Amino acid sequence: MRTLACYVDIIVLRHSDDDAAERAVKVGDVPIINGGNGTGEHPTQALLDLYTIWKERGRIDGLTVTMMGDLKYGRTVHSLIKLLSLYDPLRITLVSPPGLEMPSYLIDLVASRGHRIGQR
């Protein structure tokens, strides 16, 4: 990271380790963008998903968004639901098989920001 930082103004890091971005920030002298880490986050995909929603629907605020599948371990949906929670209240429906539900800390975060959440 230190060597790479000598050649660039910013680093977009995608790594299989959950804490790679945090470790890189501690040693690098340039900004680090987390491009996805291990089982944790996938923020660049969330930005792309958000852009696609906006482009196709013309807005983000007030939409109904349904997320389906493996919501427990799906790092893309974890990042997207956090990003969506920054907009005006949405209605979010979560659909997953038993045992693969969205983690409660994410549901609590989204609910604390005034969004309506349904689970199936």
Side-chain angles (χ1 to χ4, degrees), residues 58-103:
R59 63 188 170 97
I60 303 296
D61 297 329
L63 293 176
T64 298
V65 177
T66 300
M67 297 183 183
M68 301 171 61
D70 177 356
L71 304 179
K72 182 175 183 177
Y73 300 108
R75 63 189 185 137
T76 56
V77 292
H78 293 179
S79 295
L80 181 58
I81 200 166
K82 288 178 185 177
L83 189 56
L84 287 171
S85 75
L86 300 174
Y87 286 82
D88 282 343
L90 304 170
R91 180 175 181 205
I92 299 172
T93 304
L94 305 172
V95 180
S96 65
L100 294 177
E101 297 89 356
M102 184 72 71

Side-chain angles (χ1 to χ4, degrees), residues 15-59:
H15 200 281
S16 59
D17 290 348
D18 287 347
D19 64 343
E22 290 82 9
R23 289 192 334 249
V25 166
K26 291 178 183 175
V27 299
D29 292 332
V30 298
I32 306 288
I33 294 176
N34 182 354
N37 62 317
T39 60
E41 296 288 336
H42 202 320
T44 52
Q45 182 64 50
L47 288 170
L48 180 60
D49 292 343
L50 187 72
Y51 172 74
T52 301
I53 293 168
W54 173 80
K55 186 174 181 193
E56 294 298 320
R57 304 305 296 168
R59 63 188 170 97

